[in-house]
Amino acid sequence: MEQGAARERGVEGHPPHSGDAPGTPGGPAHAVRVPEQATARGMEPPRGPGAGAEAAGDQRTAPARDQRTDQAGGHEAGGRRPGPVPRVPDAREEHARCEAPPAAARIVRHSVRIQILDALRTALVGGELVPGEVYSAPALGERFGVSATPVREAMQRLAVEGAVEVVPNRGFRVIERTPRELAELAEVRALIEVPVMLRLARTVPAARWSELRPLAEATSAAAARGDRAHYAEADRAFHRAVLSLAGNEQLLAVADDLHRRSQWPLISAPAVRHGVLVADAAEHSALLDALIAQDLPVVESLVREHFTGSNA
């Protein structure tokens, strides 16, 4: 009876001292070896009576169950129950996230730099920034209510255009124009634009030239007010409109750059400057009259005098 009790205790899950392992002679009567297939799938070992049938049933139904869980995306193919799998970003999403800043930020930054550049050009043409003086980016930033960065970027652009030069550890010096430099610019402009104007005078209908009257009148209005900055803008707009009829974008870019360089002021008396503006504006209307009439000698004379007679 004592031996039977010992065996009974072994069945209840308390193995005797003998070190018998499940599945060996003398081991627990109900110890069942876990099928290798079930172990490979990570299934729980069957317990209690009828476990073999359940295991067999599991083996028969496991593929269907695994297939359902695979389709649902909730379990692995082996029947395990892992935690939620994080979504891996698409390669294009990752590239866009890492490489491209928000579009709004780029637009705002670009807009500030362009606005500062326009403001500095206006200040240069209007004489607010004096030739020969050095201006620092932080000081100008305070003046315009922005940080030094967009001012520095705008000044570097002006340095490329030849309006200012970099002074290390100090800022930017406004370049002092000499009469010789302005004469050289006028000569180059005439070499480029006079042949184009003569060709356009032969080919462009009179109605197209008449459409440019409002631009010529805008230069006259700015000149009458003595508004140097607005006159410079209206003057460039008129010349761009005339040259655009040639249909050459490269010509427009080169001519506009030369024109802008010729507008950086010399130090001169305000009364003389006002008189120059009025004379230049009158030449715009006279040029349109000659182009409409296809009077080639007058067109050539007016263009050359317009370039050499002033720095506007």
Side-chain angles (χ1 to χ4, degrees):
M1 294 179 62
E2 293 177 358
Q3 292 178 355
R7 283 198 300 273
E8 201 169 311
R9 286 197 299 270
V11 172
E12 292 173 355
H14 301 282
H17 300 287
S18 60
D20 294 334
T24 60
H30 291 87
V32 180
R33 182 184 299 275
V34 178
E36 292 182 0
Q37 294 177 354
T39 305
R41 294 203 316 271
M43 295 170 55
E44 291 288 336
R47 302 182 184 278
E54 292 178 5
D58 285 346
Q59 293 179 14
R60 288 194 300 271
T61 60
R65 186 175 66 239
D66 291 346
Q67 185 176 6
R68 288 196 303 272
T69 54
D70 288 345
Q71 292 174 354
H75 304 157
E76 294 181 354
R80 300 182 183 90
R81 301 176 182 268
V85 179
R87 177 179 177 274
V88 179
D90 182 81
R92 289 172 295 181
E93 296 175 5
E94 186 69 17
H95 177 75
R97 183 181 66 80
C98 296
E99 298 296 331
R106 291 199 304 274
I107 293 172
V108 170
R109 180 180 176 83
H110 180 71
S111 176
V112 170
R113 184 179 66 82
I114 293 300
Q115 290 179 47
I116 295 300
L117 180 59
D118 290 341
L120 289 172
R121 283 172 173 164
T122 299
L124 280 166
V125 173
E128 296 177 51
L129 298 182
V130 181
E133 293 293 324
V134 177
Y135 298 89
S136 71
L140 290 172
E142 262 185 61
R143 172 177 174 176
F144 293 115
V146 298
S147 69
T149 299
V151 175
R152 191 174 292 109
E153 292 173 349
M155 279 295 199
Q156 288 169 350
R157 174 61 189 171
L158 291 175
V160 172
E161 295 178 359
V164 301
E165 60 182 357
V166 178
V167 180
N169 302 320
R170 292 186 59 194
F172 302 86
R173 177 185 290 113
V174 179
I175 291 179
E176 298 181 80
R177 294 288 182 193
T178 65
R180 178 182 177 84
E181 288 174 326
L182 293 179
E184 290 173 350
L185 286 169
E187 182 180 0
V188 175
R189 289 183 68 193
L191 288 172
I192 293 175
E193 295 190 37
V194 167
V196 175
M197 293 281 194
L198 294 176
R199 175 164 60 86
L200 293 176
R202 298 187 189 97
T203 58
V204 175
R208 296 296 301 276
W209 296 122
S210 297
E211 294 173 359
L212 304 185
R213 287 289 183 188
L215 295 176
E217 293 169 358
T219 63
S220 296
R225 297 193 308 268
D227 190 339
R228 169 82 185 171
H230 282 87
Y231 177 81
E233 294 177 5
D235 184 40
R236 287 199 313 276
F238 174 81
H239 283 272
R240 278 197 305 269
V242 171
L243 294 177
S244 68
L245 297 177
N248 188 326
E249 294 295 330
Q250 301 304 315
L251 168 68
L252 280 178
V254 172
D256 193 61
D257 179 66
L258 292 170
H259 194 171
R260 191 185 297 279
R261 289 171 182 266
S262 71
Q263 289 179 327
W264 307 136
L266 294 168
I267 300 177
S268 57
V272 174
R273 180 64 55 206
H274 180 267
V276 168
L277 294 183
V278 173
D280 283 343
E283 288 174 357
H284 292 151
S285 294
L287 176 61
L288 286 179
D289 292 339
L291 288 168
I292 291 172
Q294 294 186 327
D295 191 337
L296 302 187
V298 174
V299 168
E300 181 173 2
S301 175
L302 283 172
V303 173
R304 292 187 183 280
E305 290 177 4
H306 187 68
F307 293 157
T308 58
S310 73
N311 67 325

PDB file of all heavy atoms in Angstrom, residues 153-182:
ATOM      1  N   GLU A 153      22.394  87.316 -46.202  1.00  0.00           N
ATOM      2  CA  GLU A 153      22.173  86.643 -47.482  1.00  0.00           C
ATOM      3  C   GLU A 153      21.882  87.657 -48.588  1.00  0.00           C
ATOM      4  O   GLU A 153      22.373  87.522 -49.715  1.00  0.00           O
ATOM      5  CB  GLU A 153      21.020  85.654 -47.351  1.00  0.00           C
ATOM      6  CG  GLU A 153      21.329  84.463 -46.459  1.00  0.00           C
ATOM      7  CD  GLU A 153      20.115  83.586 -46.220  1.00  0.00           C
ATOM      8  OE1 GLU A 153      19.001  84.035 -46.584  1.00  0.00           O
ATOM      9  OE2 GLU A 153      20.258  82.479 -45.680  1.00  0.00           O
ATOM     10  N   ALA A 154      21.064  88.666 -48.275  1.00  0.00           N
ATOM     11  CA  ALA A 154      20.752  89.689 -49.274  1.00  0.00           C
ATOM     12  C   ALA A 154      21.993  90.507 -49.629  1.00  0.00           C
ATOM     13  O   ALA A 154      22.227  90.826 -50.803  1.00  0.00           O
ATOM     14  CB  ALA A 154      19.646  90.608 -48.736  1.00  0.00           C
ATOM     15  N   MET A 155      22.800  90.833 -48.638  1.00  0.00           N
ATOM     16  CA  MET A 155      24.019  91.593 -48.900  1.00  0.00           C
ATOM     17  C   MET A 155      25.005  90.796 -49.766  1.00  0.00           C
ATOM     18  O   MET A 155      25.704  91.354 -50.611  1.00  0.00           O
ATOM     19  CB  MET A 155      24.683  91.995 -47.583  1.00  0.00           C
ATOM     20  CG  MET A 155      24.073  93.227 -46.936  1.00  0.00           C
ATOM     21  SD  MET A 155      24.332  94.696 -47.953  1.00  0.00           S
ATOM     22  CE  MET A 155      24.057  96.006 -46.761  1.00  0.00           C
ATOM     23  N   GLN A 156      25.055  89.492 -49.541  1.00  0.00           N
ATOM     24  CA  GLN A 156      25.936  88.660 -50.371  1.00  0.00           C
ATOM     25  C   GLN A 156      25.471  88.667 -51.821  1.00  0.00           C
ATOM     26  O   GLN A 156      26.286  88.629 -52.750  1.00  0.00           O
ATOM     27  CB  GLN A 156      25.973  87.238 -49.812  1.00  0.00           C
ATOM     28  CG  GLN A 156      26.757  87.131 -48.514  1.00  0.00           C
ATOM     29  CD  GLN A 156      26.580  85.793 -47.820  1.00  0.00           C
ATOM     30  OE1 GLN A 156      25.724  84.983 -48.203  1.00  0.00           O
ATOM     31  NE2 GLN A 156      27.382  85.539 -46.801  1.00  0.00           N
ATOM     32  N   ARG A 157      24.141  88.714 -52.020  1.00  0.00           N
ATOM     33  CA  ARG A 157      23.623  88.827 -53.379  1.00  0.00           C
ATOM     34  C   ARG A 157      24.011  90.166 -53.991  1.00  0.00           C
ATOM     35  O   ARG A 157      24.405  90.253 -55.155  1.00  0.00           O
ATOM     36  CB  ARG A 157      22.099  88.657 -53.364  1.00  0.00           C
ATOM     37  CG  ARG A 157      21.439  88.891 -54.714  1.00  0.00           C
ATOM     38  CD  ARG A 157      21.925  87.916 -55.752  1.00  0.00           C
ATOM     39  NE  ARG A 157      21.462  88.271 -57.084  1.00  0.00           N
ATOM     40  CZ  ARG A 157      21.883  87.681 -58.187  1.00  0.00           C
ATOM     41  NH1 ARG A 157      22.767  86.706 -58.131  1.00  0.00           N
ATOM     42  NH2 ARG A 157      21.416  88.051 -59.372  1.00  0.00           N
ATOM     43  N   LEU A 158      23.926  91.226 -53.212  1.00  0.00           N
ATOM     44  CA  LEU A 158      24.311  92.548 -53.704  1.00  0.00           C
ATOM     45  C   LEU A 158      25.801  92.603 -54.011  1.00  0.00           C
ATOM     46  O   LEU A 158      26.234  93.340 -54.907  1.00  0.00           O
ATOM     47  CB  LEU A 158      23.943  93.616 -52.672  1.00  0.00           C
ATOM     48  CG  LEU A 158      22.441  93.869 -52.484  1.00  0.00           C
ATOM     49  CD1 LEU A 158      22.213  94.864 -51.349  1.00  0.00           C
ATOM     50  CD2 LEU A 158      21.812  94.380 -53.775  1.00  0.00           C
ATOM     51  N   ALA A 159      26.591  91.838 -53.275  1.00  0.00           N
ATOM     52  CA  ALA A 159      28.026  91.784 -53.561  1.00  0.00           C
ATOM     53  C   ALA A 159      28.275  91.139 -54.922  1.00  0.00           C
ATOM     54  O   ALA A 159      29.154  91.561 -55.685  1.00  0.00           O
ATOM     55  CB  ALA A 159      28.751  91.015 -52.462  1.00  0.00           C
ATOM     56  N   VAL A 160      27.488  90.100 -55.245  1.00  0.00           N
ATOM     57  CA  VAL A 160      27.604  89.468 -56.558  1.00  0.00           C
ATOM     58  C   VAL A 160      27.217  90.452 -57.656  1.00  0.00           C
ATOM     59  O   VAL A 160      27.824  90.473 -58.736  1.00  0.00           O
ATOM     60  CB  VAL A 160      26.711  88.211 -56.618  1.00  0.00           C
ATOM     61  CG1 VAL A 160      26.667  87.637 -58.034  1.00  0.00           C
ATOM     62  CG2 VAL A 160      27.218  87.161 -55.652  1.00  0.00           C
ATOM     63  N   GLU A 161      26.225  91.280 -57.396  1.00  0.00           N
ATOM     64  CA  GLU A 161      25.772  92.267 -58.376  1.00  0.00           C
ATOM     65  C   GLU A 161      26.715  93.456 -58.478  1.00  0.00           C
ATOM     66  O   GLU A 161      26.569  94.286 -59.386  1.00  0.00           O
ATOM     67  CB  GLU A 161      24.367  92.758 -58.014  1.00  0.00           C
ATOM     68  CG  GLU A 161      23.303  91.674 -58.107  1.00  0.00           C
ATOM     69  CD  GLU A 161      21.939  92.162 -57.689  1.00  0.00           C
ATOM     70  OE1 GLU A 161      21.823  93.358 -57.312  1.00  0.00           O
ATOM     71  OE2 GLU A 161      20.980  91.377 -57.748  1.00  0.00           O
ATOM     72  N   GLY A 162      27.648  93.568 -57.554  1.00  0.00           N
ATOM     73  CA  GLY A 162      28.611  94.653 -57.617  1.00  0.00           C
ATOM     74  C   GLY A 162      28.191  95.922 -56.903  1.00  0.00           C
ATOM     75  O   GLY A 162      28.791  96.976 -57.101  1.00  0.00           O
ATOM     76  N   ALA A 163      27.163  95.826 -56.053  1.00  0.00           N
ATOM     77  CA  ALA A 163      26.695  97.015 -55.343  1.00  0.00           C
ATOM     78  C   ALA A 163      27.464  97.247 -54.050  1.00  0.00           C
ATOM     79  O   ALA A 163      27.631  98.388 -53.611  1.00  0.00           O
ATOM     80  CB  ALA A 163      25.206  96.907 -55.045  1.00  0.00           C
ATOM     81  N   VAL A 164      27.895  96.164 -53.406  1.00  0.00           N
ATOM     82  CA  VAL A 164      28.634  96.271 -52.149  1.00  0.00           C
ATOM     83  C   VAL A 164      29.821  95.313 -52.211  1.00  0.00           C
ATOM     84  O   VAL A 164      29.914  94.460 -53.099  1.00  0.00           O
ATOM     85  CB  VAL A 164      27.743  95.914 -50.927  1.00  0.00           C
ATOM     86  CG1 VAL A 164      26.536  96.832 -50.849  1.00  0.00           C
ATOM     87  CG2 VAL A 164      27.299  94.454 -50.992  1.00  0.00           C
ATOM     88  N   GLU A 165      30.723  95.478 -51.249  1.00  0.00           N
ATOM     89  CA  GLU A 165      31.840  94.554 -51.108  1.00  0.00           C
ATOM     90  C   GLU A 165      31.942  94.132 -49.654  1.00  0.00           C
ATOM     91  O   GLU A 165      31.586  94.887 -48.741  1.00  0.00           O
ATOM     92  CB  GLU A 165      33.150  95.203 -51.566  1.00  0.00           C
ATOM     93  CG  GLU A 165      33.537  96.450 -50.803  1.00  0.00           C
ATOM     94  CD  GLU A 165      34.811  97.086 -51.334  1.00  0.00           C
ATOM     95  OE1 GLU A 165      35.407  96.515 -52.268  1.00  0.00           O
ATOM     96  OE2 GLU A 165      35.210  98.152 -50.816  1.00  0.00           O
ATOM     97  N   VAL A 166      32.409  92.912 -49.439  1.00  0.00           N
ATOM     98  CA  VAL A 166      32.503  92.355 -48.092  1.00  0.00           C
ATOM     99  C   VAL A 166      33.715  92.931 -47.376  1.00  0.00           C
ATOM    100  O   VAL A 166      34.816  92.977 -47.934  1.00  0.00           O
ATOM    101  CB  VAL A 166      32.611  90.822 -48.144  1.00  0.00           C
ATOM    102  CG1 VAL A 166      32.752  90.240 -46.739  1.00  0.00           C
ATOM    103  CG2 VAL A 166      31.405  90.226 -48.849  1.00  0.00           C
ATOM    104  N   VAL A 167      33.508  93.388 -46.148  1.00  0.00           N
ATOM    105  CA  VAL A 167      34.593  93.847 -45.282  1.00  0.00           C
ATOM    106  C   VAL A 167      34.687  92.847 -44.133  1.00  0.00           C
ATOM    107  O   VAL A 167      33.798  92.798 -43.281  1.00  0.00           O
ATOM    108  CB  VAL A 167      34.327  95.266 -44.735  1.00  0.00           C
ATOM    109  CG1 VAL A 167      35.477  95.715 -43.848  1.00  0.00           C
ATOM    110  CG2 VAL A 167      34.096  96.238 -45.882  1.00  0.00           C
ATOM    111  N   PRO A 168      35.740  92.019 -44.095  1.00  0.00           N
ATOM    112  CA  PRO A 168      35.818  90.970 -43.076  1.00  0.00           C
ATOM    113  C   PRO A 168      35.669  91.517 -41.659  1.00  0.00           C
ATOM    114  O   PRO A 168      36.256  92.551 -41.314  1.00  0.00           O
ATOM    115  CB  PRO A 168      37.217  90.370 -43.287  1.00  0.00           C
ATOM    116  CG  PRO A 168      37.520  90.645 -44.730  1.00  0.00           C
ATOM    117  CD  PRO A 168      36.889  91.980 -45.016  1.00  0.00           C
ATOM    118  N   ASN A 169      34.853  90.828 -40.860  1.00  0.00           N
ATOM    119  CA  ASN A 169      34.620  91.143 -39.448  1.00  0.00           C
ATOM    120  C   ASN A 169      33.941  92.492 -39.211  1.00  0.00           C
ATOM    121  O   ASN A 169      33.834  92.939 -38.072  1.00  0.00           O
ATOM    122  CB  ASN A 169      35.934  91.110 -38.657  1.00  0.00           C
ATOM    123  CG  ASN A 169      36.628  89.770 -38.752  1.00  0.00           C
ATOM    124  OD1 ASN A 169      35.987  88.728 -38.710  1.00  0.00           O
ATOM    125  ND2 ASN A 169      37.946  89.798 -38.890  1.00  0.00           N
ATOM    126  N   ARG A 170      33.463  93.109 -40.266  1.00  0.00           N
ATOM    127  CA  ARG A 170      32.790  94.405 -40.099  1.00  0.00           C
ATOM    128  C   ARG A 170      31.420  94.438 -40.764  1.00  0.00           C
ATOM    129  O   ARG A 170      30.457  94.914 -40.179  1.00  0.00           O
ATOM    130  CB  ARG A 170      33.658  95.526 -40.659  1.00  0.00           C
ATOM    131  CG  ARG A 170      34.946  95.769 -39.867  1.00  0.00           C
ATOM    132  CD  ARG A 170      35.685  96.982 -40.402  1.00  0.00           C
ATOM    133  NE  ARG A 170      34.861  98.192 -40.337  1.00  0.00           N
ATOM    134  CZ  ARG A 170      35.166  99.323 -40.988  1.00  0.00           C
ATOM    135  NH1 ARG A 170      36.246  99.394 -41.760  1.00  0.00           N
ATOM    136  NH2 ARG A 170      34.374 100.385 -40.871  1.00  0.00           N
ATOM    137  N   GLY A 171      31.334  93.953 -41.983  1.00  0.00           N
ATOM    138  CA  GLY A 171      30.055  93.995 -42.680  1.00  0.00           C
ATOM    139  C   GLY A 171      30.250  94.171 -44.177  1.00  0.00           C
ATOM    140  O   GLY A 171      31.067  93.485 -44.798  1.00  0.00           O
ATOM    141  N   PHE A 172      29.522  95.135 -44.744  1.00  0.00           N
ATOM    142  CA  PHE A 172      29.527  95.349 -46.185  1.00  0.00           C
ATOM    143  C   PHE A 172      29.686  96.837 -46.478  1.00  0.00           C
ATOM    144  O   PHE A 172      28.996  97.667 -45.896  1.00  0.00           O
ATOM    145  CB  PHE A 172      28.228  94.826 -46.808  1.00  0.00           C
ATOM    146  CG  PHE A 172      27.976  93.361 -46.547  1.00  0.00           C
ATOM    147  CD1 PHE A 172      27.343  92.948 -45.375  1.00  0.00           C
ATOM    148  CD2 PHE A 172      28.390  92.411 -47.453  1.00  0.00           C
ATOM    149  CE1 PHE A 172      27.120  91.609 -45.124  1.00  0.00           C
ATOM    150  CE2 PHE A 172      28.174  91.058 -47.202  1.00  0.00           C
ATOM    151  CZ  PHE A 172      27.548  90.660 -46.046  1.00  0.00           C
ATOM    152  N   ARG A 173      30.580  97.139 -47.404  1.00  0.00           N
ATOM    153  CA  ARG A 173      30.790  98.538 -47.796  1.00  0.00           C
ATOM    154  C   ARG A 173      30.083  98.799 -49.122  1.00  0.00           C
ATOM    155  O   ARG A 173      30.226  98.026 -50.077  1.00  0.00           O
ATOM    156  CB  ARG A 173      32.286  98.830 -47.949  1.00  0.00           C
ATOM    157  CG  ARG A 173      32.561 100.275 -48.429  1.00  0.00           C
ATOM    158  CD  ARG A 173      34.034 100.534 -48.697  1.00  0.00           C
ATOM    159  NE  ARG A 173      34.792 100.553 -47.449  1.00  0.00           N
ATOM    160  CZ  ARG A 173      35.696  99.656 -47.108  1.00  0.00           C
ATOM    161  NH1 ARG A 173      35.957  98.632 -47.918  1.00  0.00           N
ATOM    162  NH2 ARG A 173      36.356  99.744 -45.978  1.00  0.00           N
ATOM    163  N   VAL A 174      29.336  99.897 -49.186  1.00  0.00           N
ATOM    164  CA  VAL A 174      28.681 100.300 -50.425  1.00  0.00           C
ATOM    165  C   VAL A 174      29.754 100.819 -51.380  1.00  0.00           C
ATOM    166  O   VAL A 174      30.547 101.692 -51.026  1.00  0.00           O
ATOM    167  CB  VAL A 174      27.623 101.380 -50.160  1.00  0.00           C
ATOM    168  CG1 VAL A 174      26.960 101.806 -51.472  1.00  0.00           C
ATOM    169  CG2 VAL A 174      26.569 100.867 -49.184  1.00  0.00           C
ATOM    170  N   ILE A 175      29.768 100.253 -52.571  1.00  0.00           N
ATOM    171  CA  ILE A 175      30.815 100.602 -53.540  1.00  0.00           C
ATOM    172  C   ILE A 175      30.567 102.003 -54.087  1.00  0.00           C
ATOM    173  O   ILE A 175      29.432 102.388 -54.400  1.00  0.00           O
ATOM    174  CB  ILE A 175      30.843  99.576 -54.683  1.00  0.00           C
ATOM    175  CG1 ILE A 175      31.360  98.229 -54.153  1.00  0.00           C
ATOM    176  CG2 ILE A 175      31.713 100.056 -55.836  1.00  0.00           C
ATOM    177  CD1 ILE A 175      31.419  97.140 -55.183  1.00  0.00           C
ATOM    178  N   GLU A 176      31.636 102.764 -54.197  1.00  0.00           N
ATOM    179  CA  GLU A 176      31.576 104.115 -54.770  1.00  0.00           C
ATOM    180  C   GLU A 176      31.763 104.021 -56.281  1.00  0.00           C
ATOM    181  O   GLU A 176      32.809 103.581 -56.762  1.00  0.00           O
ATOM    182  CB  GLU A 176      32.670 104.989 -54.154  1.00  0.00           C
ATOM    183  CG  GLU A 176      32.527 105.182 -52.641  1.00  0.00           C
ATOM    184  CD  GLU A 176      33.615 106.062 -52.068  1.00  0.00           C
ATOM    185  OE1 GLU A 176      33.488 107.310 -52.184  1.00  0.00           O
ATOM    186  OE2 GLU A 176      34.582 105.526 -51.520  1.00  0.00           O
ATOM    187  N   ARG A 177      30.759 104.435 -57.013  1.00  0.00           N
ATOM    188  CA  ARG A 177      30.822 104.396 -58.467  1.00  0.00           C
ATOM    189  C   ARG A 177      31.654 105.559 -58.991  1.00  0.00           C
ATOM    190  O   ARG A 177      31.568 106.682 -58.501  1.00  0.00           O
ATOM    191  CB  ARG A 177      29.421 104.495 -59.064  1.00  0.00           C
ATOM    192  CG  ARG A 177      28.538 103.307 -58.754  1.00  0.00           C
ATOM    193  CD  ARG A 177      28.990 102.111 -59.544  1.00  0.00           C
ATOM    194  NE  ARG A 177      28.128 100.977 -59.290  1.00  0.00           N
ATOM    195  CZ  ARG A 177      28.401  99.745 -59.645  1.00  0.00           C
ATOM    196  NH1 ARG A 177      29.538  99.492 -60.260  1.00  0.00           N
ATOM    197  NH2 ARG A 177      27.583  98.770 -59.384  1.00  0.00           N
ATOM    198  N   THR A 178      32.428 105.268 -60.005  1.00  0.00           N
ATOM    199  CA  THR A 178      33.186 106.323 -60.671  1.00  0.00           C
ATOM    200  C   THR A 178      32.552 106.606 -62.034  1.00  0.00           C
ATOM    201  O   THR A 178      31.890 105.724 -62.607  1.00  0.00           O
ATOM    202  CB  THR A 178      34.649 105.898 -60.881  1.00  0.00           C
ATOM    203  OG1 THR A 178      34.676 104.788 -61.801  1.00  0.00           O
ATOM    204  CG2 THR A 178      35.292 105.476 -59.561  1.00  0.00           C
ATOM    205  N   PRO A 179      32.733 107.781 -62.565  1.00  0.00           N
ATOM    206  CA  PRO A 179      32.197 108.071 -63.907  1.00  0.00           C
ATOM    207  C   PRO A 179      32.716 107.099 -64.966  1.00  0.00           C
ATOM    208  O   PRO A 179      31.988 106.762 -65.906  1.00  0.00           O
ATOM    209  CB  PRO A 179      32.688 109.503 -64.164  1.00  0.00           C
ATOM    210  CG  PRO A 179      32.821 110.095 -62.806  1.00  0.00           C
ATOM    211  CD  PRO A 179      33.301 108.985 -61.933  1.00  0.00           C
ATOM    212  N   ARG A 180      33.948 106.641 -64.799  1.00  0.00           N
ATOM    213  CA  ARG A 180      34.494 105.697 -65.774  1.00  0.00           C
ATOM    214  C   ARG A 180      33.700 104.377 -65.755  1.00  0.00           C
ATOM    215  O   ARG A 180      33.399 103.813 -66.820  1.00  0.00           O
ATOM    216  CB  ARG A 180      35.965 105.432 -65.463  1.00  0.00           C
ATOM    217  CG  ARG A 180      36.598 104.412 -66.409  1.00  0.00           C
ATOM    218  CD  ARG A 180      38.044 104.137 -66.051  1.00  0.00           C
ATOM    219  NE  ARG A 180      38.604 103.117 -66.916  1.00  0.00           N
ATOM    220  CZ  ARG A 180      39.120 103.345 -68.113  1.00  0.00           C
ATOM    221  NH1 ARG A 180      39.134 104.588 -68.612  1.00  0.00           N
ATOM    222  NH2 ARG A 180      39.614 102.357 -68.844  1.00  0.00           N
ATOM    223  N   GLU A 181      33.376 103.884 -64.580  1.00  0.00           N
ATOM    224  CA  GLU A 181      32.611 102.632 -64.483  1.00  0.00           C
ATOM    225  C   GLU A 181      31.248 102.771 -65.132  1.00  0.00           C
ATOM    226  O   GLU A 181      30.777 101.859 -65.844  1.00  0.00           O
ATOM    227  CB  GLU A 181      32.458 102.228 -63.024  1.00  0.00           C
ATOM    228  CG  GLU A 181      33.735 101.731 -62.383  1.00  0.00           C
ATOM    229  CD  GLU A 181      33.566 101.472 -60.902  1.00  0.00           C
ATOM    230  OE1 GLU A 181      32.799 102.206 -60.250  1.00  0.00           O
ATOM    231  OE2 GLU A 181      34.198 100.521 -60.397  1.00  0.00           O
ATOM    232  N   LEU A 182      30.595 103.899 -64.911  1.00  0.00           N
ATOM    233  CA  LEU A 182      29.283 104.105 -65.517  1.00  0.00           C
ATOM    234  C   LEU A 182      29.379 104.202 -67.038  1.00  0.00           C
ATOM    235  O   LEU A 182      28.511 103.706 -67.758  1.00  0.00           O
ATOM    236  CB  LEU A 182      28.650 105.370 -64.954  1.00  0.00           C
ATOM    237  CG  LEU A 182      28.268 105.314 -63.472  1.00  0.00           C
ATOM    238  CD1 LEU A 182      27.670 106.634 -63.017  1.00  0.00           C
ATOM    239  CD2 LEU A 182      27.286 104.182 -63.213  1.00  0.00           C
TER     240      LEU A 182
END
